[in-house]
Amino acid sequence: MHQRSETEGFSACAARGANTNTVHYFGIAADERERIARHTKPGVLLPLVELGWEEDYCGLWCKYAGLLSPIYTTATRGGCWFCHNQGIDQMRKLRQMYPDLWKLLMKWDSDSPVSFKPDGHTVHDYDRRFALEDAGILLPGDKTFKWSMLDGDIQMKWF
């Protein structure tokens, strides 16, 4: 498993690239004014804004391109199955119900130079957590869960 520090998330990577020839492409829709204002800076391109694609149109395009997560047909929020903004419940469902997509997400996680979540956690970290839930060692949604519990001997920390 490849580990990244908690400071090695997307923001740290973007900051490192600010003084290089790095270009960051953000999928912000043309009608997301607050996000556009926040991300309009050198080295950041907003292709959906340049195309004039608003959020509803982007959703339709993603649907017809097969990019929307299949779990969003029953979830309250729309989005892509590979989005880092999805919540833990959506990730858990993706792993359980669509193992092929989860396997691809794990591969992309291994290939990525940045962590999946801004706090430094990877898809592999979530996979470990979900495997412990499957084994009955952790309970899904347990409010006492801490990521440090995955380090070392979890059984000694929980029992």
Side-chain angles (χ1 to χ4, degrees):
M1 175 192 318
H2 71 168
Q3 294 280 336
R4 298 179 196 107
S5 71
E6 290 194 17
T7 59
E8 189 55 28
F10 179 80
S11 295
C13 180
R16 255 196 342 272
N19 296 324
T20 66
N21 279 337
T22 302
V23 176
H24 299 276
Y25 293 89
F26 289 3
I28 297 173
D31 54 349
E32 298 181 86
R33 288 172 179 48
E34 184 179 314
R35 292 182 70 208
I36 293 168
R38 221 175 34 239
H39 295 289
T40 300
K41 56 183 90 170
V44 174
L45 294 179
L46 309 173
L48 300 175
V49 173
E50 291 174 22
L51 291 169
W53 285 19
E54 294 184 350
E55 202 167 357
D56 288 343
Y57 183 79
C58 292
L60 286 172
W61 187 90
C62 288
K63 178 180 178 180
Y64 289 108
L67 297 175
L68 289 184
S69 177
I71 65 170
Y72 289 118
T73 58
T74 58
T76 58
R77 184 176 176 273
C80 301
W81 60 266
F82 49 85
C83 181
H84 69 277
N85 288 326
Q86 65 182 301
I88 189 167
D89 290 336
Q90 282 85 14
M91 291 177 69
R92 188 179 288 113
K93 285 180 187 175
L94 183 70
R95 182 179 177 268
Q96 291 171 344
M97 298 169 61
Y98 303 94
D100 290 344
L101 293 179
W102 185 257
K103 183 178 176 182
L104 183 56
L105 189 59
M106 294 269 289
K107 183 203 177 310
W108 289 349
D109 185 57
S110 294
D111 294 344
S112 177
V114 297
S115 61
F116 185 69
K117 294 287 190 173
D119 64 4
H121 291 106
T122 66
V123 176
H124 287 81
D125 292 333
Y126 283 91
D127 193 63
R128 280 181 59 209
R129 177 180 177 167
F130 298 153
L132 292 169
E133 290 175 1
D134 293 346
I137 296 171
L138 293 177
L139 297 174
D142 186 337
K143 301 291 184 205
T144 64
F145 173 79
K146 302 282 185 261
W147 283 104
S148 61
M149 293 174 174
L150 295 183
D151 298 331
D153 187 0
I154 192 162
Q155 290 182 358
M156 294 302 290
K157 294 180 181 183
W158 280 80
F159 300 104

